[in-house]
Amino acid sequence: MGNDTLKCLYSENLILPDRLPVILQWINSVCYVSIALVLLFANTLVIISLKKQQYNDRNINDNDGRKSFKLLMTNLSIAGLLLIIFLIATPGYAIPYSYYKYPNSLFNDIFCRFIDSEYCIHVLCYTSLMIATTISFKRWLAVARPHIFQLIVKRLKFHIVMGVIWLVEPLLCIEFVLGDIFVKIAYPPCRWKYVVCNNVLADSSLFSILEFLRFYLPVVLIVLFNIDTVRRIQTFQIRKDPEMNHSDTRLFKKVVATAITAWVMVALCLPNQIYFTLSVFSVIRPYRLSIHNITKIFFVAGSSCAPFIYSLIRCEFKLKVKKKCQNLRCSGNCHSANRRRRVSFRA
């Protein structure tokens, strides 16, 4: 490691103390393990439900709108399942910093750049955000421009859209790869450095451009699309006759519920990104890792909204989740009851 590279590090101290007290590290880990378990349960149910529905409807000519929605939800759930792997593998998430065993091999630098830098976690979170933006745009297009919706859905291949999202998001998070390096004589060995060394303005400008494209632009689009969709649906309902049918009321509830879910997702993600952005521009000093860790928990939770969006739209999924929970509760109670019967029989 050259001296020029060491000068680019955020901190000149080669030995850093624990980033958080041990008790806070464990609390942090419990939160992420809980999120991982919920993601595993909910996203698996979403994928199974989608595949089962696809099998049941194999002889039915599904319209392009429903096919594209299923594709979007499948990709959203896959991103949530992949996120579980990196929540376990990345230091400071499921495993506390103090108890994490850093690899000691030829792949140290790769580990620092792709795992310790949280690159993979951010790629999956921002990918989920972009897919949610696409869902919001699709819903807005169906309400605001119904006469061109079917035409666009038929011509716009959502497989290509998904491919572009999965290719572009890793590029927009490239600064995480460039900004984390392995320093053999330091502890922890993975250390942050300036992407553009000796030029703080250029480094901040690069961060601003990438952060705007990968986060703030999708957030603004989600908010605007859903506000306009709800406004148009509400205006449509007011203009209709007071005696509107059941399907119209259910459609209105679905649109509003999906919009609320998207706004909650944005509200959970915003504090982390705003706090980190202000710290990059030295507006917030000193930077407190404890605050950032709390906001990051909300960011990860907010980026994993697939099961909630799907449950709001598919009543069958709600019933399936309820049935699974009842079966788990029943299996525990039945096991205890059977054990009591065996004990009483032996007595």
Side-chain angles (χ1 to χ4, degrees):
M1 185 63 61
N3 293 329
D4 293 339
T5 304
L6 291 176
K7 291 178 181 179
C8 295
L9 297 178
Y10 281 178
S11 175
E12 297 179 357
N13 298 326
L14 294 179
I15 305 297
L16 293 178
D18 285 344
R19 304 179 184 182
L20 285 173
V22 176
I23 183 64
L24 293 182
Q25 292 184 40
W26 279 111
I27 294 174
N28 196 51
S29 297
V30 170
C31 292
Y32 283 116
V33 169
S34 302
I35 291 174
L37 292 175
V38 171
L39 288 178
L40 179 62
F41 176 73
N43 284 294
T44 303
L45 279 181
V46 170
I47 293 178
I48 292 174
S49 179
L50 287 170
K51 292 301 180 183
K52 186 175 180 181
Q53 182 184 356
Q54 183 179 1
Y55 177 78
N56 293 334
D57 298 343
R58 62 189 183 280
N59 296 323
I60 302 175
N61 292 326
D62 220 351
N63 60 53
D64 296 313
R66 292 186 63 184
K67 288 181 180 178
S68 62
F69 177 76
K70 292 175 184 177
L71 177 66
L72 292 170
M73 289 305 305
T74 301
N75 280 268
L76 202 54
S77 298
I78 291 173
L81 290 175
L82 291 175
L83 184 61
I84 299 172
I85 300 174
F86 295 105
L87 288 178
I88 297 172
T90 306
Y93 282 82
I95 303 174
Y97 293 109
S98 302
Y99 297 89
Y100 197 91
K101 301 297 181 183
Y102 288 87
N104 188 13
S105 63
L106 298 175
F107 302 100
N108 285 330
D109 194 58
I110 295 176
F111 172 83
C112 290
R113 291 183 182 275
F114 288 92
I115 304 299
D116 183 81
S117 67
E118 305 173 7
Y119 169 77
C120 295
I121 289 178
H122 281 86
V123 167
L124 293 171
C125 289
Y126 292 134
T127 298
S128 298
L129 191 66
M130 187 60 70
I131 295 175
T133 307
T134 307
I135 293 174
S136 298
F137 169 71
K138 180 176 172 291
R139 182 59 57 87
W140 172 83
L141 196 64
V143 174
R145 302 289 185 270
H147 54 287
I148 63 172
F149 171 71
Q150 291 296 334
L151 180 63
I152 291 179
V153 168
K154 286 182 180 180
R155 291 187 177 180
L156 185 63
K157 302 300 181 181
F158 277 87
H159 290 86
I160 299 177
V161 174
M162 287 295 97
V164 171
I165 291 176
W166 283 103
L167 287 175
V168 169
E169 289 302 327
L171 297 177
L172 294 179
C173 297
I174 195 66
E175 65 166 300
F176 293 95
V177 177
L178 301 176
D180 203 337
I181 58 172
F182 175 74
V183 182
K184 187 176 181 180
I185 59 176
Y187 182 83
C190 297
R191 305 298 291 272
W192 285 103
K193 73 177 187 69
Y194 292 101
V195 177
V196 184
C197 195
N198 300 323
N199 194 333
V200 179
L201 179 60
D203 193 81
S204 301
S205 300
L206 176 63
F207 167 79
S208 302
I209 295 171
L210 294 177
E211 186 71 359
F212 173 77
L213 292 175
R214 70 193 176 205
F215 179 75
Y216 290 107
L217 179 61
V219 162
V220 171
L221 292 177
I222 286 175
V223 172
L224 293 180
F225 281 144
N226 283 284
I227 287 177
D228 192 58
T229 302
V230 172
R231 181 186 64 82
R232 290 174 182 273
I233 286 288
Q234 190 173 15
T235 303
F236 175 74
Q237 295 290 356
I238 292 174
R239 288 178 180 175
K240 281 180 67 68
D241 294 332
E243 298 180 356
M244 52 187 179
N245 57 43
H246 179 67
S247 61
D248 292 333
T249 306
R250 190 171 59 181
L251 174 63
F252 176 71
K253 289 181 179 179
K254 283 183 180 180
V255 171
V256 173
T258 308
I260 292 174
T261 305
W263 293 331
V264 170
M265 175 185 180
V266 169
L268 290 173
C269 294
L270 269 178
N272 177 73
Q273 300 305 108
I274 292 176
Y275 184 81
F276 188 72
T277 302
L278 293 178
S279 66
V280 167
F281 289 98
S282 301
V283 176
I284 294 179
R285 279 290 182 268
Y287 168 77
R288 298 190 181 279
L289 186 64
S290 57
I291 298 176
H292 189 201
N293 274 356
I294 294 173
T295 58
K296 194 156 49 176
I297 291 173
F298 291 111
F299 174 70
V300 173
S303 302
S304 312
C305 63
F308 305 102
I309 293 179
Y310 193 67
S311 65
L312 291 172
I313 296 174
R314 297 290 301 177
C315 296
E316 295 85 350
F317 180 71
K318 292 181 185 178
L319 297 175
K320 183 171 289 189
V321 172
K322 185 177 180 180
K323 184 178 179 180
K324 289 288 184 183
C325 293
Q326 288 176 346
N327 290 340
L328 290 174
R329 188 164 56 246
C330 177
S331 63
N333 294 335
C334 294
H335 179 73
S336 301
N338 291 334
R339 187 169 56 185
R340 287 195 298 270
R341 290 194 195 100
R342 287 197 297 269
V343 171
S344 60
F345 178 76
R346 290 174 184 173

